[in-house]
Amino acid sequence: MRAVRHGAGLAFFFLSAAMAAAQDFDYGRYEALFGEPVTVSATGKPERVSDTQVLMDVITAEDIRRSGARDIPALVRRLAGVDSTHSSSGEVGIGLGGYNQPSSGRVLVLINGREVSLEGVGDVLWSTLPVELEEIRQIEVLHGPQSALYGFNAVDGVINIITFDPVDDAINTAKVRAGTQDRRGVSAITTLPLSDSAGVRLAAAGDHVEDGGRTPFTPGRTSVSKDPNRRAFSFDFGARIADVGRVSLEASHTDVSQRLFYTNRSYDTRVTTDSAKGGWSADTPVGLVTATMSYSDVTMPWVSNPRSGTFHVDERIAQVGLSDLFKLGADDSFRVGFDGRRDRLDAPGLISGVLTGDLLAGSAMWEHQFTNSLSAVNAVRYDYYKLDRQGGGDPMDIYRNADFDRSDQGVSVNSALVAKVTEDDKIRLSVSRGLKLPSLTDFAQVGRVRPLAMAAAPIYGNPMLRASGVYGYRAGWDHQFRDLGITSRVAFFHDMTLSHVDSFSRRSHGGVIDVTGMGAGSVSNGLEVGFDRKAKEGWVWGGNVTYQRLHEHRDWGLRNAAPISKANAHLGYSWGDWEADLYGAYTSRTKGIGVTGMRPYRRQIVPIKEYVTLSPRLAWHPGDMLTVELTADNLWPYQDSLYYRMETSYGLTLRLRY
């Protein structure tokens, strides 16, 4: 932290040390003190966002309030360097740095530091996240490989969702929303103070929308029409206890029915998720010690497509973490940590037997302050991953349980330098190496789920897959135009993935099958430019432009399948009891793989047109308690994938704060 030699910066570090673990850190107090967002996500230690060595974007609670967005992906997609694709009204893919492939698992998603990405299928089901927009304090988006701090599969970046603290932040709100496409929803959040140092927050929500927008390229579209329904409940407890430290407990349940896109085919599915997390942090003689433990049970009672059959999925994830953050002298901060994880996947009809993946990891971080204007962070992590399978016996299986008795390991490294050139200019340089681990399904799929057509060869997993190395290089320049209240950023990135999970045809049991393997890698290059002006009243505006090129070494006709150029813009004005905002987006053309809707099925490379769309918002605040909000999404309908068309929608929201 650059200001560590100054009184305010030193006080910031030590006063916040006892509450530095994710949600256990008092964000509100130090935001007010420094006049900007603060974070612990970049290095594991508390610091101002402007001082982090990592290129990071932060979506604040005020940004969320004025966004008119219905979900987290709609917020994140407005940032520079972010790609989004819709496979249905309930399923969205989010990519960073030019990569956005289904079931790729390249972006790690967290809620208060708890991983919510599903490693079993290599995806994030955004609709199942147990968090409402009104209880989010900020969303932190870290760009580039972050494996040295977060482990496997944080190779494109990290999205960390931070909720308000039930001890210090009283969130009491109820919301009703209705709109076109039969959209309706209701939510309620209440905070119950138990004492001056303890509190509980409860949240419940329900949503429904019509699953329209399917295109002729949607396989199985005539029989798959599950309208997304979501039910969610969460419990969040926190307390500061003298001589013990800070303790927290989170529990949640979500129940979602929607259309799921897997191996280029649509499925009806129901997903129930039950999660719990406990945390403890304390300022001890050896530093700030933090311990966490979490457990999640993700169950899909049925995943159904008439042409490909029905199967069910049960994934259980247990995680533990222990870290110690301490200082040696005025200029050096250290963090050492240990992480463990068990992922258990039971999915008859998708894999054979019960597959487990056990992870053990140790990590270390060192931050050194050379001068008041120059600092560096170096981090290293070693991951050991053990694969195992029990049971089995599926007649289509081509592997034995002994084939899964193997392990993989690797080292991740992050190095970053930040220089304060002037009071208004900061330059960040970073080099990183991350590890991309295949999903459990990549290891063990049995072949019933066919990729594109009934006539296609069945796909099998491969227990001999290895983690792939991903190298990232980034340079960023931040400049403040203080007189105008404008912040700006120019950033360059170059990412190189050594290999990707791919499929290769081979003969087995007298026929042709596709077996998963490690194929050729790819290179992604990009330039991001952004400006932002925020104010409590009057005009606010911002925008960003991204230019990127994705080069796949094995060309299936999809070279530069990611959009080459993108732009986002926001213009808003507030006066009296009124607010008006207009969000716009442009995305250049791209392409994807499709099949004809009638037999014989044929694989095609299909262009996806460029698009421009606008999303206006008008809000009226007749008092401190009530907000009436009118929104419109996608005034010009568009497609960002072959399989779904985003239609224009209108909505009315009534929000009550009490």
Side-chain angles (χ1 to χ4, degrees):
M1 186 162 49
R2 197 175 341 277
V4 71
R5 293 186 177 179
H6 300 291
L10 193 60
F12 169 60
F13 181 84
F14 284 106
L15 288 175
S16 62
M19 299 172 287
Q23 190 186 19
D24 298 338
F25 171 53
D26 192 344
Y27 288 86
R29 179 180 180 183
Y30 294 105
E31 276 187 20
L33 177 63
F34 290 103
E36 66 171 282
V38 292
T39 183
V40 297
S41 295
T43 61
K45 63 177 288 257
E47 56 192 342
R48 298 181 291 188
V49 169
S50 63
D51 285 337
T52 64
Q53 286 78 10
V54 177
L55 286 172
M56 176 192 293
D57 289 308
V58 174
I59 302 171
T60 66
E62 177 67 10
D63 296 332
I64 296 172
R65 188 187 67 80
R66 294 196 62 163
S67 68
R70 295 190 298 262
D71 51 36
I72 294 171
L75 291 162
V76 175
R77 71 178 300 275
R78 294 171 179 171
L79 301 176
V82 177
D83 289 295
S84 69
T85 55
H86 291 77
S87 301
S88 73
S89 58
E91 185 179 14
V92 188
I94 294 294
L96 300 174
Y99 294 95
N100 191 16
Q101 306 300 320
S103 303
S104 61
R106 296 179 63 96
V107 178
L108 190 67
V109 180
L110 312 167
I111 297 179
N112 295 325
R114 177 178 70 85
E115 183 176 344
V116 294
S117 306
L118 300 180
E119 303 301 341
V121 295
D123 211 346
V124 178
L125 301 181
W126 292 94
S127 58
T128 67
L129 302 191
V131 61
E132 307 306 310
L133 293 182
E134 287 76 16
E135 60 182 335
I136 297 176
R137 169 175 288 282
Q138 63 194 44
I139 301 173
E140 303 170 343
V141 181
L142 288 67
H143 297 264
Q146 305 296 327
S147 295
L149 190 61
Y150 292 97
F152 282 128
N153 300 346
V155 293
D156 282 350
V158 174
I159 299 175
N160 195 9
I161 303 161
I162 307 295
T163 62
F164 284 103
D165 190 333
V167 179
D168 300 308
D169 302 305
I171 306 300
N172 298 286
T173 180
K175 179 177 70 176
V176 177
R177 166 172 277 173
T180 55
Q181 285 86 46
D182 197 24
R183 186 178 296 277
R184 56 187 184 271
V186 61
S187 66
I189 304 169
T190 186
T191 305
L192 307 174
L194 303 179
S195 69
D196 292 339
S197 58
V200 171
R201 185 176 64 250
L202 304 174
D207 300 284
H208 173 85
V209 66
E210 183 182 74
D211 190 23
R214 290 181 298 276
T215 71
F217 286 100
T218 306
R221 67 189 185 282
T222 58
S223 56
V224 179
S225 57
K226 177 60 65 179
D227 289 341
N229 285 280
R230 176 179 180 268
R231 305 290 182 266
F233 173 79
S234 64
F235 165 92
D236 195 348
F237 165 80
R240 289 189 292 268
I241 303 174
D243 300 325
V244 173
R246 171 64 190 258
V247 295
S248 62
L249 177 63
E250 303 170 33
S252 63
H253 170 78
T254 61
D255 190 336
V256 176
S257 297
Q258 68 174 51
R259 188 158 57 92
L260 179 69
F261 205 73
Y262 182 70
T263 60
N264 292 311
R265 187 172 294 282
S266 295
Y267 293 83
D268 278 343
T269 186
R270 179 186 175 200
V271 186
T272 63
T273 305
D274 295 285
S275 301
K277 175 194 171 188
W280 168 77
S281 63
D283 192 6
T284 73
V286 296
L288 173 66
V289 178
T290 301
T292 60
M293 180 181 296
S294 65
Y295 177 81
S296 298
D297 188 343
V298 182
T299 301
M300 300 180 188
W302 39 264
V303 184
S304 177
N305 181 293
R307 295 178 179 175
S308 299
T310 300
F311 56 91
H312 79 262
V313 176
D314 186 6
E315 182 175 6
R316 301 176 185 178
I317 306 164
Q319 302 176 82
V320 295
L322 179 66
S323 68
D324 183 20
L325 175 67
F326 57 94
K327 291 180 67 69
L328 294 178
D331 299 327
D332 295 281
S333 300
F334 296 87
R335 179 184 181 273
V336 293
F338 164 82
D339 294 282
R341 173 187 172 109
R342 161 160 279 208
D343 199 341
R344 177 187 182 275
L345 183 65
D346 182 9
L350 178 63
I351 68 170
S352 179
V354 177
L355 202 65
T356 57
D358 292 318
L359 173 70
L360 295 175
S363 62
M365 182 277 297
W366 168 42
E367 181 181 24
H368 179 69
Q369 194 80 28
F370 294 101
T371 67
N372 290 340
S373 58
L374 182 66
S375 63
V377 167
N378 295 285
V380 62
R381 175 177 170 125
Y382 173 78
D383 284 274
Y384 175 84
Y385 185 78
K386 178 69 171 63
L387 191 66
D388 184 65
R389 191 181 77 175
Q390 300 295 325
D394 191 297
M396 291 190 67
D397 195 3
I398 62 175
Y399 298 111
R400 303 167 303 162
N401 285 347
D403 296 326
F404 293 86
D405 186 12
R406 54 171 299 268
S407 62
D408 199 0
Q409 55 275 322
V411 176
S412 302
V413 178
N414 282 69
S415 259
L417 184 74
V418 60
K420 184 177 180 181
V421 182
T422 70
E423 287 297 321
D424 298 323
D425 296 276
K426 290 179 181 176
I427 294 177
R428 293 174 174 84
L429 304 173
S430 66
V431 178
S432 52
R433 179 185 188 268
L435 293 173
K436 170 69 181 75
L437 189 71
S439 70
L440 291 179
T441 305
D442 291 332
F443 286 121
Q445 184 171 322
V446 295
R448 286 190 176 84
V449 181
R450 296 178 173 87
L452 292 171
M454 290 292 290
I459 289 182
Y460 284 85
N462 185 347
M464 301 309 295
L465 298 177
R466 294 285 182 179
S468 175
V470 179
Y471 293 82
Y473 307 87
R474 273 165 174 73
W477 169 39
D478 289 356
H479 179 74
Q480 290 188 348
F481 299 88
R482 294 184 184 273
D483 294 339
L484 301 175
I486 297 172
T487 59
S488 66
R489 170 173 290 175
V490 179
F492 303 87
F493 67 84
H494 170 77
D495 291 334
M496 178 174 60
T497 303
L498 299 187
S499 60
H500 291 282
V501 172
D502 206 340
S503 61
F504 303 88
S505 296
R506 82 179 199 195
R507 290 196 169 274
S508 179
H509 298 277
V512 177
I513 63 174
D514 286 339
V515 177
T516 301
M518 302 305 296
S522 60
V523 172
S524 178
N525 301 295
L527 167 67
E528 303 165 1
V529 180
F531 296 87
D532 195 22
R533 182 187 187 275
K534 298 181 180 180
K536 294 294 184 181
E537 295 182 352
W539 291 101
V540 294
W541 57 270
N544 57 73
V545 176
T546 302
Y547 178 85
Q548 62 189 21
R549 301 296 295 268
L550 175 62
H551 301 278
E552 297 180 347
H553 295 156
R554 184 184 183 190
D555 186 11
W556 284 98
L558 289 174
R559 186 176 295 276
N560 283 320
I564 294 176
S565 56
K566 298 168 293 184
N568 296 283
H570 168 223
L571 179 64
Y573 186 73
S574 61
W575 69 102
D577 296 332
W578 293 86
E579 291 174 341
D581 295 276
L582 179 63
Y583 295 87
Y586 163 80
T587 300
S588 64
R589 64 181 182 178
T590 181
K591 49 191 173 180
I593 300 178
V595 295
T596 57
M598 301 296 292
R599 294 182 179 178
Y601 297 99
R602 294 182 180 177
R603 180 176 177 273
Q604 303 179 48
I605 303 298
V606 182
I608 301 173
K609 295 180 180 179
E610 64 182 4
Y611 66 84
V612 175
T613 189
L614 296 175
S615 299
R617 167 187 177 267
L618 179 65
W620 176 46
H621 309 279
D624 294 335
M625 297 178 62
L626 180 65
T627 298
V628 181
E629 185 178 74
L630 292 171
T631 58
D633 286 330
N634 319 321
L635 286 184
W636 297 304
Y638 69 93
Q639 282 182 240
D640 53 22
S641 74
L642 287 181
Y643 308 107
Y644 197 76
R645 174 182 168 87
M646 298 296 293
E647 303 288 353
T648 301
S649 64
Y650 302 92
L652 170 64
T653 302
L654 302 179
R655 186 178 293 108
L656 177 66
R657 297 185 182 274
Y658 56 93

